[in-house]
Amino acid sequence: SEFRRQSDARRAPAYQHLRRSLQHAIENGELTAGQALPGERELGKLLDLSRVTVRKAIAGLVADGLLVQRQGAGTFVAERIVKSFSRLTSFTDDLRARGLDPRSTFLERSLGEVTPEEAMALNLSPGAGVIRYYRLRTADGVALALERTVVPASVIAHPDFVENSLYEAFAKLGIRPARALQRLRAIAFDAEQARLMNLPEGAPGLFIERRTFLDDGRVVEFTRSFYRGDAYDFVAELQSEP
Ligand code: 16G
């Protein structure tokens, strides 16, 4: 009806406006990590907005990863994920440690022949078989990273063997990663990546390349990860030179 259209038109900008102002408050530190938000009803009263408006704005910020909702406890400003740059942990390890539910959406999962670049990274001979994964990594439904992984087919024989976590698949096979080499660099998400991550094009990210070795020197993974720049803090303990 006409009335409905009008009230919808008036409502839409209100929730977008609230969403934007909450986002600004988080970005400039007026609302700090871990802080609890007032309940929907209370916030609506405070700002003279309907509960539907408040709920929509909050749902948008939860989808963006800026707010988190905990069953029975309420809505909180999301805390950044602190990740060690010197420990050999997996995406799944890092997120489980925070009580979140890490998932993989496979955008690609295939068996193929190694490319020259992959052969160098994995120390493989030309013609060797490799398994390739391209995964969207989420935690509690929020996109946190895109990862391209190449594993020698001599390590994981069938692409479907990895269901969610690569390192869990390694563990099931009795494979124990011993060390890794990592490289990190700042990037901006391109249009395609941004679409997959539900971020604006050009959003800041961290590109991390990891080559993981077994004790005997074999390389078991070559992974290029694109982590959300606004969600992670990388930390490391540094030692002075002897
Ligand atoms: C992490 C690793 C990545 C590895 C993945 C396995 C970094 C920067 N990268 O994202 O190299 O492939 O974990 O995670 O830490 P999964 O066991 O959950 O699949």
Side-chain angles (χ1 to χ4, degrees):
S1 72
E2 189 56 44
F3 168 74
R4 189 109 169 246
R5 242 200 328 269
Q6 279 187 8
S7 71
D8 277 351
R10 248 181 277 128
R11 200 189 293 150
Y15 96 79
Q16 275 172 6
H17 179 76
L18 175 58
R19 181 172 167 168
R20 267 197 296 272
S21 42
L22 284 173
Q23 183 173 344
H24 283 146
I26 294 168
E27 283 167 358
N28 65 30
E30 276 167 57
L31 289 170
T32 56
Q35 191 176 331
L37 248 62
E40 276 169 15
R41 198 189 304 264
E42 208 183 322
L43 201 58
K45 246 194 220 143
L46 220 66
L47 304 169
D48 196 20
L49 293 168
S50 80
R51 211 168 154 180
V52 178
T53 300
V54 172
R55 187 173 303 156
K56 265 179 106 172
I58 288 178
L61 292 165
V62 169
D64 287 347
L66 291 176
L67 293 179
V68 287
Q69 274 170 329
R70 286 192 219 112
Q71 200 76 51
T75 306
F76 301 84
V77 179
E79 291 173 72
R80 294 169 69 92
I81 298 154
V82 178
K83 181 169 168 58
S84 165
F85 199 66
S86 51
R87 291 181 51 222
L88 186 40
T89 58
S90 71
F91 181 85
T92 299
D93 295 332
D94 296 338
L95 277 302
R96 289 231 176 103
R98 298 179 52 83
L100 298 175
D101 181 27
R103 296 268 154 207
S104 295
T105 303
F106 286 84
L107 306 169
E108 192 189 314
R109 171 167 19 195
S110 63
L111 176 68
E113 197 175 295
V114 73
T115 65
E117 188 205 11
E118 292 164 351
M120 294 242 278
L122 292 167
N123 283 335
L124 292 177
S125 314
V130 286
I131 290 179
R132 296 193 187 90
Y133 299 114
Y134 186 30
R135 293 182 293 165
L136 175 68
R137 311 303 311 266
T138 60
D140 287 15
V142 176
L144 291 176
L146 284 166
E147 296 195 297
R148 279 190 190 280
T149 294
V150 193
V151 178
S154 57
V155 172
I156 289 185
H158 196 285
D160 290 349
F161 193 73
V162 176
E163 283 171 16
N164 186 38
S165 161
L166 174 70
Y167 282 29
E168 272 178 17
F170 283 160
K172 273 191 217 155
L173 292 167
I175 294 168
R176 274 187 53 93
R179 50 180 280 270
L181 289 175
Q182 235 172 225
R183 176 202 301 272
L184 176 146
R185 130 180 21 124
I187 54 119
F189 283 102
D190 68 25
E192 171 66 4
Q193 293 171 324
R195 188 182 61 77
L196 293 167
M197 294 281 290
N198 200 11
L199 288 172
E201 183 179 346
L206 294 163
F207 169 76
I208 305 140
E209 198 176 80
R210 181 187 282 190
R211 292 169 66 215
T212 305
F213 302 81
L214 301 184
D215 258 338
D216 63 11
R218 268 187 299 157
V219 188
V220 286
E221 91 169 300
F222 173 46
T223 293
R224 283 159 292 174
S225 307
F226 299 82
Y227 276 64
R228 260 180 91 141
D230 62 356
Y232 276 91
D233 280 351
F234 279 83
V235 297
E237 183 184 334
L238 308 180
Q239 233 102 77
S240 64
E241 298 290 320

